[in-house]
Amino acid sequence: MGFSMGINAVLHAVAESTYGTTPASGFKKLPFASHSMGEERPLIEDDLLGYGREGLDPTYDVATNDGDIVVPVDTDAFGFWLKGMFGNPTTTGTGTYTHVFQSGAGVLPSHSLEIGNPDVPSFSVNYGAVCNQMRIGMSRSGMLNATMSLIAQGETAPVATSVAGTLAGLLGSRFAQATGVIKRDGTPLGNIVSADLSISNNLDKVEVIKADGRIGGVVPGVVQAALRFTARFDSVDLLTLATSGVPVNLDEIGWTKGPASLKFALPRVFLPRTKRTINGPGGITAEFNCQAAALVGAHKVTATLINSQPSY
């Protein structure tokens, strides 16, 4: 008897032309670290009276498929998730390409994500999957991952053979935590201990009455972007900005690897007033939960990915 091993799990993904309809071809093999996708249908306990204490059969509730996929932040494959989060990029260049993604798109792409366990074998497709949130943690060392939160319409029943067909691999070199930087007006912020970048599309489920119990789609809401970071307290510079009410320009939050790079820009970020905590004889730290904003007609977030991929 064979048992499924997580190390052999696979993720095959493709953009959908029609929401909730899986294309017959065009799948890409993508790297991932973990996932919690999958359709659920909870049971509603029977509430009828008059049939004794044992009760009658329960009823199935509506279907939901919300989950996370943890993916590496790398030079090539991460562009697939950036496109899912922001929509189509503007791409320029020859040989080395610059892909510019901007928040606020009115329409976001949906995807079919096949997750399989070849050891069983078992493959199922999470269709109508739209990126709702992206979270990236920054630290001094360790693996650089992003958590992608998705809302899908449904999941197919498991089958023994993959439906992805001929696959195009999409895997690049991973960016390293050690190359991360946060800059304000082109100057690195000093003494940052850790940081978390969070971007949300605030998707609203279209919860219509359907025979299959699944949602009818999702609608993008107001874009939210936040940066939470912990800094060693060595000056009153950030505290002054926090109390002034003047937004700062975080023009680079990102990483580099040779000629490739990934940089997020948040041009208008407001800093809250914060405590300076003392926990023993060590350094004094301050935590800032910053919120991004945008002028009318501008974008809260711009992500620029430079690599050798000609298109997404």
Side-chain angles (χ1 to χ4, degrees), residues 86-170:
F86 298 109
N88 290 321
T90 299
T91 300
T92 57
T94 303
T96 298
Y97 300 90
T98 299
H99 312 278
V100 178
F101 303 83
Q102 293 182 311
S103 61
V107 178
L108 296 173
S110 64
H111 305 87
S112 286
L113 308 173
E114 181 184 62
I115 300 173
N117 296 281
D119 297 330
V120 175
S122 174
F123 299 86
S124 62
V125 177
N126 298 272
Y127 54 87
V130 183
C131 293
N132 187 33
Q133 190 176 37
M134 172 190 293
R135 301 183 299 277
I136 303 176
M138 301 178 70
S139 60
R140 187 171 181 270
S141 64
M143 291 296 187
L144 182 60
N145 290 325
T147 300
M148 307 299 303
S149 297
L150 300 102
I151 298 176
Q153 186 179 45
E155 180 186 15
T156 62
V159 295
T161 305
S162 170
V163 302
T166 302
L167 290 166
L170 191 58

Side-chain angles (χ1 to χ4, degrees), residues 25 31 33 39-40 43 88 115 127-128 133 149 203 233 283 297:
S25 61
E39 185 173 280
E40 297 178 302
L43 295 171
N88 290 321
I115 300 173
Y127 54 87
Q133 190 176 37
S149 297
L203 298 181
F233 183 55

Side-chain angles (χ1 to χ4, degrees), residues 165-247:
T166 302
L167 290 166
L170 191 58
L171 173 65
S173 299
R174 209 171 195 168
F175 290 109
Q177 288 277 18
T179 66
V181 67
I182 301 175
K183 292 184 179 181
R184 173 167 64 94
D185 294 325
T187 301
L189 287 178
N191 298 308
I192 302 298
V193 178
S194 63
D196 290 282
L197 176 64
S198 175
I199 304 166
S200 176
N201 283 317
N202 273 315
L203 298 181
D204 182 28
K205 295 180 182 179
V206 181
E207 299 190 273
V208 294
I209 299 174
K210 294 178 60 185
D212 60 9
R214 299 184 174 102
I215 61 174
V218 292
V219 177
V222 175
V223 173
Q224 290 182 332
L227 179 70
R228 177 177 180 175
F229 64 88
T230 300
R232 287 276 189 166
F233 183 55
D234 65 340
S235 76
V236 297
D237 181 37
L238 292 177
L239 295 178
T240 301
L241 290 170
T243 56
S244 69
V246 177

